[in-house]
Structures are given as C-alpha cells and as structure tokens.
Amino acid sequence: MSKEPKNLEQRDGFQSKWGFILACIGSAVGMGNIWRFPIMVQKYGGMTFLLPYFIFVILIGSTGVIEEFALGRRAAAGPVGAFGMCTKERTGSEKSGKAIGAIPIIGALMLAIGYTVVLGWIFKYTFMSLSGSLFSLGTDMGAIGGTFGMTAPEAETLPEALKAMASAGFFGIGNGVWQIIALVVSLAIMVMGIAGGIEKANKIMMPVLFGLFLVLAVYIATLPGAQEGYKYILTINPAGLADPKVWVFAFGQAFFSLSVAGNGTLIYGSSVIYGSYLPEGEDIPSSARNVAVFDTIAALLAALVIVPSMAAVLGAGISEVHGGPGLMFVYLVNVFNAMPGGRIIGVVFFICVLFAGVSSIVNLYEAPIAFLQEQFKFKRAAAVGTIGVIGLIVSISIQPWTSQWMDVVSIYICPLGAALAGVMFFWVLGKEKALAAVNEGAKKPIGSWFFPLGKWVYVICAVLALILGVMYGGIG
C-alpha cells in the first residue's frame, strides 16, 4: 500500500505495541470516567445504563476508533495532513482537506486549554491531600465548598471572567500558580517526544493508576454500607430501557470517553494524531479493542470506588449528588474525610486523578504541537514552547468561565471533528484504500461488516452526537 510522504524528516513514534495502547488508554481515561460515569450509572439505574453503554462502546470501538487510528497511520500526520491526503486521493487537491482538518486542531487546543485549568485544580488537591490540609477540612461542607470556590471562581460570561481576572492581576483569584506547575510538568513530558516522553510516562502512570484504583475498590468493599452502592450498580430496570435519555447519555458517555474527535483527542480523543505515530506492522483492530476494553475497565473501577463510597457515608443522600467537578472536589472530599483511613484514601484517589489528568492533557496538546511541526517545520521544543505559552495565557485568563468554555468544545467542536474524520475516511478516501489502511499489519483482514457499519452507522452517530449535544446541552 502506498503512503503519503511523511511530514517530518525523522518522525517520532511509539516503540512498542503496549506503549501505544497505554498512551491511548491514558488519553481516554479522563475526568469523564471519574466525575461523570459513576453518577450516570447511579442516576440511570446501574445495569439499566451499563447495557446500552456497552453496546455503544462496542459500536464505536469497532468503527470510529479503528478508523481514526488507520487514518492517522496512513497519512503519517495529524488531522490537517490526514484530511488533506483524503481529498487529494479523491480530487487531486489537498487544500480543502487541510482547511477542514484545522477544525479538530482548534478543538484539541481549546479542550487542552480548558483541561489545563482542571489539571491545576487536581495538582492543588493532590498536594493538599499529601500535606493533610484537605483532611483537616473534615466534613464541614461549608469549608470544603468554600475551598473549591476560591480555587475555581465562576462568571456567567467570558467578558465578565476576563474582567474579574484582570482586576485581580490574573493571580489574585483562582489557581494560577498550580496551573503553571501542572502545565510545566505536562510540557516537560511532551518536549521529550513520543517515545521518550509520552510513551515512557504512560508506561508508568497507567499501570499505577489501575493498580491503585483496584486497591481502593477492594478497600471500599470492606466498609459498612458499601453494599448499597453495589445495588445501585448492579440493578437493572427493564422499563428504564424504554427511556430515551438512558440511551442518549449512554451513547454520549461512550462516544466521548473513547477519544473519537477527529484529532483523536480523549478527555475526547487522540486517535488520529496517536495513530499517525504507529508503525506499519501494528494490528490496528487489536489495538482499538484493547483501548476500548481498558477504558471501560477504568470507568467501572471508578464507579466501584465512588458509588459504594458515597453509599457507605451518605446513605440515601447519594441520590442528591450530581456529577462534574463538584463531585470530585466537594462531595468526595467530604466522603473520604468521613471514612476510616480517609486521609490515605484521599491521597491515593487524587494521585490516580493526577495520573489520569496528565495522561489526558499530553494527548490533547499533542495535536496542535504536531501541527506546528508538520505544517510549519517547528522543532519539537519550539512547538511545545509555543503551544505551552498560548495554553498558559488563555487558561489563566478564562478560569471563571472554564465550564462554559468546555461546553462549547464538547458540544460543538469535538463531535464535528469526529464526524468529519468519519466522512473523510469512509466517504472520501474510498472503500479499497480505507480497508487497506485498516488491514495493514493485521493478523487477519477485518470483516466485511466494518466498512458499511462505519459508513452508514458510525458517521451518522457522530452527527447525532452533535445534534443531541445541542438539544440536551451536552451528552458527555
């Protein structure tokens, strides 16, 4: 199979199959697995939510994830180069494809900027858990909520947010110092490249994250009252399956968790960009299956820690808990502080969250960094530094408007990027070349079901993710 010329003279890449898989898992295991998935499971009836969720994971993992890996590898480039390759194959010109490919790059950068704010919160709370200051708050919800309120100020509009930050000198309110620390750590990993930085870091962080989450799950299982949490998780209500919202939010959770966003970015993906670093001999369907399986395991482990914990401490009050940052930085702080061994539990939990956050953000920033390297011939360090400065300035400035910023990206840009990548691969590139891209390195050719399922079902689902997100104000 012929490939487009590589955009970098010496293109970096993953050195091992599991290095690539762990990096993709790191991209996928983000805050959605921790502060949203457990609440969705609890709110929509345990297995009543999980059954449609598993169906959508299988659908998206066997089409969209494979498609983005294959698209990136065939082009040996990120979205701009990959989309340009597709239109060149079809029309002889890459200009329109490259222009369209800028959309996922913009989405990845915007998502990374919002995530930088969140990662700053995580670094601060990890330090507070280690120092004991988080545990010293006890179960005083006023003190716990007030601490997070000072860390994450809010504003209704972007102009109000910018005015508030400017009037306080940008560091007088919010969490700017910890954002700088979080970004410096993340960029230090990225400046070392794919094999030397991202791959090595994920080989350490992901096994530790899974191991610590497993330890937490086992410990939580020993607490009195935790069994009520398992009832929430394992209950199935057949009548609940008739509720369209169950299917809509299960689909949204699977869609966004599996990192399909056209740049591959995960909290929302890095499938195209990480796929572009794959060697030709890698079995893409096998890798996609492993990513889907381990991302699901991570989400289930988070649910097995969080839902029984809340059941043990809050009892019937668990029904009043909502997902999002408040779950992790307010409710769970109260829950952990109230349980035996709570200080240690808090430390372990926030270390897990820290690893999940760092592994996700390096994936998000990789797409715009690779764009500068590929399209403008930046050296790695210069590309990392340029994007890092942009990320720092904007993330510091938008702190009070972070929630709305993330909504804009996740509701509009991420599903649009995923739909565009699907159209490019299944509709523009063509069946013969698309299948050749998927089958290269595979132990056996992918089944005849793959192409029609991707073309007629997955692409439509990606468009639906955009439409449903607008209708519901976000589905992931």
Side-chain angles (χ1 to χ4, degrees):
M1 182 188 73
S2 64
K3 293 182 71 172
E4 291 291 302
K6 294 186 178 181
N7 292 300
L8 302 175
E9 291 184 7
Q10 295 292 330
R11 187 173 177 83
D12 198 357
F14 292 101
Q15 298 300 305
S16 67
K17 172 182 178 179
W18 278 101
F20 166 71
I21 290 172
L22 288 171
C24 290
I25 294 168
S27 166
V29 178
M31 295 307 99
N33 295 77
I34 297 170
W35 71 33
R36 189 174 187 279
F37 180 80
I39 295 301
M40 291 292 102
V41 172
Q42 176 264 322
K43 181 177 179 179
Y44 289 107
M47 290 302 295
T48 312
F49 176 84
L50 288 174
L51 286 177
Y53 173 77
F54 292 147
I55 291 172
F56 288 123
V57 166
I58 293 170
L59 169 64
I60 297 165
S62 62
T63 54
V65 177
I66 291 174
E67 161 253 307
E68 291 200 4
F69 285 169
L71 179 59
R73 184 174 69 178
R74 190 179 196 279
V80 171
F83 288 16
M85 174 202 71
C86 291
T87 56
K88 186 176 182 179
E89 294 273 5
R90 172 71 68 169
T91 68
S93 173
E94 62 181 6
K95 288 184 178 180
S96 60
K98 282 190 168 184
I100 295 170
I103 294 173
I105 296 294
I106 293 169
L109 180 57
M110 289 183 66
L111 196 58
I113 287 169
Y115 214 65
T116 300
V117 180
V118 176
L119 192 61
W121 302 342
I122 295 169
F123 265 75
K124 176 179 179 177
Y125 272 67
T126 302
F127 173 79
M128 290 177 66
S129 68
L130 289 166
S131 69
S133 58
L134 199 61
F135 185 70
S136 68
L137 296 174
T139 57
D140 182 345
M141 287 296 285
I144 295 171
T147 299
F148 184 59
M150 293 176 62
T151 303
E154 295 182 340
E156 291 188 6
T157 67
L158 183 57
E160 287 178 6
L162 296 175
K163 181 178 179 181
M165 294 303 300
S167 64
F170 291 97
F171 288 90
I173 60 173
N175 193 44
V177 173
W178 283 106
Q179 275 182 230
I180 294 174
I181 294 171
L183 192 56
V184 168
V185 170
S186 303
L187 296 178
I189 294 172
M190 301 199 69
V191 80
M192 291 186 283
I194 301 301
I198 293 174
E199 181 173 354
K200 285 185 177 179
N202 277 287
K203 280 183 173 179
I204 296 170
M205 291 190 294
M206 287 303 100
V208 173
L209 183 149
F210 276 86
L212 290 178
F213 254 135
L214 185 60
V215 170
L216 284 178
V218 171
Y219 174 75
I220 297 301
T222 67
L223 298 179
Q227 63 273 13
E228 295 300 317
Y230 301 121
K231 289 181 182 178
Y232 278 107
I233 296 172
L234 298 175
T235 297
I236 182 167
N237 175 19
L241 293 171
D243 183 355
K245 284 188 177 181
V246 172
W247 292 85
V248 167
F249 288 109
F251 165 64
Q253 184 68 35
F255 183 86
F256 287 101
S257 186
L258 284 175
S259 304
V260 284
N263 53 72
T265 54
L266 206 83
I267 326 188
Y268 307 123
S270 212
S271 314
V272 173
I273 191 62
Y274 274 6
S276 74
Y277 297 117
L278 271 178
E280 294 179 0
E282 186 59 52
D283 187 334
I284 282 179
S286 174
S287 295
R289 180 177 61 250
N290 285 324
V291 170
V293 167
F294 281 99
D295 177 61
T296 302
I297 290 173
L300 290 173
L301 279 174
L304 289 171
V305 169
I306 292 171
V307 178
S309 294
M310 293 191 299
V313 174
L314 303 178
I318 189 175
S319 61
E320 299 174 6
V321 177
H322 300 286
L327 170 67
M328 192 159 73
F329 298 105
V330 178
Y331 286 106
L332 285 179
V333 172
N334 173 58
V335 167
F336 293 151
N337 286 352
M339 65 174 55
R343 178 173 178 178
I344 296 174
I345 297 302
V347 169
V348 174
F349 176 80
F350 279 105
I351 288 175
C352 288
V353 173
L354 181 73
F355 285 170
V358 171
S359 64
S360 292
I361 204 168
V362 297
N363 163 260
L364 293 171
Y365 273 121
E366 181 59 31
I369 286 171
F371 169 75
L372 292 183
Q373 290 185 271
E374 292 165 6
Q375 303 301 319
F376 297 99
K377 310 305 179 187
F378 275 43
K379 297 294 185 183
R380 180 75 181 184
V384 170
T386 300
I387 296 300
V389 170
I390 295 171
L392 178 62
I393 293 172
V394 180
S395 66
I396 292 288
S397 302
I398 65 158
Q399 286 182 78
W401 205 66
T402 302
S403 177
Q404 298 94 320
W405 177 280
M406 298 290 269
D407 283 345
V408 170
V409 183
S410 61
I411 292 173
Y412 299 100
I413 303 180
C414 285
L416 178 59
L420 290 172
V423 168
M424 288 291 174
F425 188 80
F426 290 110
W427 289 85
V428 177
L429 184 60
K431 183 176 181 179
E432 182 179 341
K433 292 173 182 177
L435 290 177
V438 171
N439 288 326
E440 183 179 20
K443 293 182 175 63
K444 61 180 182 179
I446 200 163
S448 59
W449 52 267
F450 168 74
F451 196 81
L453 188 66
K455 183 174 183 177
W456 297 106
V457 179
Y458 169 71
V459 173
I460 292 173
C461 283
V463 174
L464 280 174
L466 173 59
I467 295 170
L468 292 170
V470 173
M471 289 174 58
Y472 286 91
I475 59 172

